[in-house]
């Protein structure tokens, strides 16, 4: 095992590589400030499979498949693949659903929030404030004894199911793409993507690095508040700094714009500060209650955690629901239905936290 | 010696349990975890608190022995 100093160096190195990969994916075709966005990419994938019919956001994102398989393969290789589950899967499904509603209010998961900041999108500042606020609220519940109880060992095939599904989806994307729905050129972010092989390789690399380092966007602030432990947060910082630097370099040496400071007319973003903030309060709180941000859930699912796999299904359904009922924001701004959904989501998540406090089991 | 069974729990719970237990100020603790992330996180936390940590593994269960 690495000592604390080497652990931090590894974390910062991994964060730097991930930040670089994310920025470069935009150069190769991904939507601006969206080298990675777990929420957006799960939403696009739900669209590609026909779970919603928002024509602007349909594409089976190889990054998602790559992250799951990258984590799966590295955990297998390192002897860290541990099939386990049974810690309140239904509750986790709902929490995942709610986190996705929050992310789609802001238009990004915590990972994309960093990338948006690194692209100069200041709408991500109120989002970051909300995210940290949500995490603080989650920490209060953790300190009061919030728990979803323990997991249990599962059989190996159970732990591998999500990776099998990922391989199956990859095969469909490669060999039977006509079965899927794809956003047409110019229709929206779904139509912008890097080549499949690049996206897949990027996903595999990020999945493996995140598996090795336990990188988590929500865990960084959580551990800083709970234990004054800054290792995870240093990964978060490294992603930001590297993506910012690469964005500035790309803006200098290519004809495209990868950094634009301000709030107005940012790519795949809106300027409503209050709802950007509240959306991420929901995402931050929900992520702490789940034990990790959407990226971390994908990685843990790959490692054989079936509760995380169920959480990913919750994200998936949340994304489909958000687009079927007009809850997701767009560049034009949030929708009234989305605002109502975020408020209901916050209420529901606080209720879930409350009933799972130590001593409240009978509720 | 105080024992803490954090098997099956995912982070940050094992670390919170450790933190609460360490507040009693004993010199030795035994903590059981069964996943790599809690093993690393509990170890890191305990070391920050000035404990020496030795780890043994059996059947996927890690026993962390904290000593001051």
């Amino acid at each position: 095992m690495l000592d604390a100093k080497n652990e931090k160096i590894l974390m910062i190195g991994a964060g730097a590589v991930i930040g670089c990969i994310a920025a470069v994916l935009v150069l190769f075709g991904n939507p601006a400030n969206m080298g990675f966005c777990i929420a957006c990419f799960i939403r696009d994938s739900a669209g590609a499979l026909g779970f919603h019919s928002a024509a602007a956001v349909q594409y089976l994102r190889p990054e998602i498949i790559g992250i799951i398989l990258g984590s799966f393969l590295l955990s297998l290789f390192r002897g860290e693949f541990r099939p386990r589950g049974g810690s309140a899967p239904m509750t986790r499904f709902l929490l995942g659903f709610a986190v996705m509603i929050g992310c789609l209010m802001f238009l990004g998961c915590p990972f994309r929030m960093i990338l948006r900041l690194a692209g100069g999108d200041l709408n991500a500042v109120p989002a970051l404030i909300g995210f940290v606020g949500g995490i603080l609220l989650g920490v209060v519940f953790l300190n009061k004894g919030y728990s979803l109880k323990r997991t249990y060992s599962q059989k190996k095939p159970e732990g591998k199911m999500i990776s099998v599904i990922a391989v199956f989806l990859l095969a469909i994307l490669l060999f039977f793409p006509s079965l899927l729905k794809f956003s047409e050129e110019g229709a929206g972010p779904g139509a912008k993507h890097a080549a499949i092989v690049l996206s897949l390789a990027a996903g595999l690399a990020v999945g493996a690095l995140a598996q090795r380092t336990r990188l988590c966007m929500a865990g960084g602030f959580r551990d800083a508040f709970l234990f004054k432990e800054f290792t995870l947060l240093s990964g978060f910082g490294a992603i930001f700094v590297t993506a910012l630097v690469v964005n500035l370099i790309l803006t200098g040496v290519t004809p495209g714009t990868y950094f634009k400071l301000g709030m107005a007319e940012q790519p795949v973003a809106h300027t409503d500060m209050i709802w950007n903030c509240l959306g991420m309060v929901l995402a931050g709180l929900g992520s702490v209650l789940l034990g990790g941000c959407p990226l971390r859930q994908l990685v843990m699912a790959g490692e054989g955690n079936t509760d995380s796999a169920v959480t990913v299904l919750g994200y998936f359904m949340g994304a489909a629901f958000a687009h079927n009922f007009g809850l997701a924001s767009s560049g034009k701004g949030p929708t009234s239905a989305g605002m109502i959904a975020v408020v209901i989501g916050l209420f529901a998540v606080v209720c879930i936290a409350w009933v799972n406090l130590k001593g409240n089991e009978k509720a | 010696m105080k024992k803490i069974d954090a098997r099956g729990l995912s982070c940050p719970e094992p670390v919170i349990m450790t933190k609460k237990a360490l507040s009693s100020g004993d010199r030795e603790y035994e903590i059981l975890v069964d996943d790599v992330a809690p093993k690393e996180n509990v170890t890191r936390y305990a070391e920050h608190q000035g404990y020496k940590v030795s780890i043994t593994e059996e059947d996927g269960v890690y026993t962390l022995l904290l000593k001051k």
Side-chain angles (χ1 to χ4, degrees):
Chain A
M1 200 167 125
L2 295 167
D3 63 30
K5 193 179 164 211
N6 286 335
E7 221 174 22
K8 205 166 236 172
I9 292 170
L10 180 72
M11 176 63 87
I12 291 173
V17 174
I18 290 172
C20 189
I21 292 175
V24 169
L25 273 178
V26 179
L27 176 69
F28 285 103
N30 272 20
N33 296 348
M34 207 192 279
F36 273 92
C37 172
I38 311 308
C40 317
F41 288 0
I42 288 179
R43 181 259 332 262
D44 293 349
S45 302
L49 293 166
F51 283 82
H52 69 70
S53 47
V57 285
Q58 294 175 320
Y59 178 60
L60 193 61
R61 296 273 177 188
E63 288 90 343
I64 298 291
I65 294 170
I67 290 171
I68 294 171
L69 293 179
S71 162
F72 170 65
L73 293 173
L74 188 65
S75 66
L76 213 54
F77 177 73
R78 289 174 49 83
E80 294 180 353
F81 177 75
R82 305 235 163 158
R84 59 195 183 276
S87 162
M90 201 55 219
T91 304
R92 288 175 190 274
F93 179 89
L94 275 175
L95 286 171
F97 191 102
V99 165
M100 182 57 86
I101 301 290
C103 288
L104 292 180
M105 168 55 79
F106 164 63
L107 292 173
C109 70
F111 193 173
R112 183 172 188 242
M113 181 178 69
I114 308 178
L115 297 177
R116 281 176 61 173
L117 278 174
D121 179 352
L122 296 180
N123 298 301
V125 173
L128 178 62
I129 293 168
F131 185 58
V132 173
I135 289 170
L136 272 172
L137 186 57
V139 166
V140 170
F141 284 113
L142 285 174
N143 276 329
K144 285 184 179 297
Y146 165 85
S147 171
L148 290 180
K149 296 280 176 191
R150 63 164 297 175
T151 59
Y152 296 87
S153 283
Q154 304 289 338
K155 285 185 171 177
K156 285 218 165 96
E158 166 75 0
K160 288 175 182 164
M161 280 303 155
I162 191 151
S163 297
V164 171
I165 293 172
V167 170
F168 181 73
L169 290 177
L170 181 62
I172 291 181
L173 179 66
L174 290 174
F175 305 118
F176 307 100
S178 61
L179 295 174
L180 301 167
K181 295 178 188 210
F182 294 111
S183 298
E184 284 173 24
E185 194 64 42
K192 293 184 179 170
H193 52 82
I196 291 176
V197 60
L198 277 180
S199 294
L200 182 66
L204 285 167
V206 169
L209 286 169
Q211 195 281 330
R212 179 66 189 85
T213 55
R214 336 273 174 227
L215 180 73
C216 172
M217 312 298 157
F221 288 104
R222 178 198 69 199
D223 289 358
F225 293 134
L226 263 178
F227 315 121
K228 311 217 170 2
E229 165 50 60
F230 298 95
T231 307
L232 283 178
L233 199 56
S234 64
F236 188 104
I239 293 176
F240 168 72
V241 172
T242 318
L244 175 66
V245 170
V246 176
N247 281 338
L248 290 172
I249 294 173
L250 289 178
T251 305
V253 301
T254 67
T257 306
Y258 298 89
F259 181 89
K260 187 175 73 173
L261 194 65
M263 288 188 126
E265 289 173 28
Q266 290 287 353
V268 203
H270 63 78
T271 55
D272 193 314
M273 289 208 271
I274 290 174
W275 290 98
N276 278 334
C277 177
L278 285 176
M280 288 317 263
V281 171
L282 179 53
L285 173 59
S287 294
V288 169
L289 299 181
L290 282 165
C293 71
L295 171 66
R296 179 81 186 130
Q297 297 297 331
L298 282 179
V299 167
M300 291 198 293
E303 288 174 342
N305 186 326
T306 59
D307 293 328
S308 290
V310 171
T311 305
V312 172
L313 295 183
Y315 294 147
F316 196 90
M317 291 309 282
F321 194 88
H323 280 279
N324 285 334
F325 294 92
L327 314 181
S329 303
S330 68
K332 293 181 199 130
T335 66
S336 324
M339 296 176 191
I340 295 168
V342 166
V343 171
I344 294 174
L346 279 168
F347 179 73
V349 169
V350 168
C351 285
I352 287 175
W354 180 259
V355 296
N356 286 293
L357 287 182
K358 207 175 178 183
N360 284 3
E361 278 92 353
K362 285 175 195 156
Chain B
M1 183 168 52
K2 262 198 182 162
K3 285 191 178 188
I4 300 159
D5 185 358
R7 282 177 295 175
L9 295 174
S10 49
C11 278
E13 273 190 80
V15 193
I16 294 175
M17 290 166 80
T18 306
K19 186 184 175 188
K20 285 186 176 157
L22 293 194
S23 64
S24 70
D26 293 22
R27 300 186 70 83
E28 278 189 31
Y29 297 90
E30 187 184 276
I31 299 165
L32 301 179
V33 296
D34 62 357
D35 198 8
V36 195
K39 180 190 75 171
E40 290 173 1
N41 291 338
V42 170
T43 303
R44 201 186 302 133
Y45 181 75
E47 283 175 351
H48 277 192
Q49 306 305 312
Y51 286 85
K52 274 210 153 59
V53 184
S54 50
I55 304 167
T56 49
E57 189 197 347
E58 204 183 326
D59 294 333
V61 176
Y62 302 97
T63 306
L64 279 58
L65 201 61
L66 279 51
K67 275 188 185 171
K68 209 166 199 170

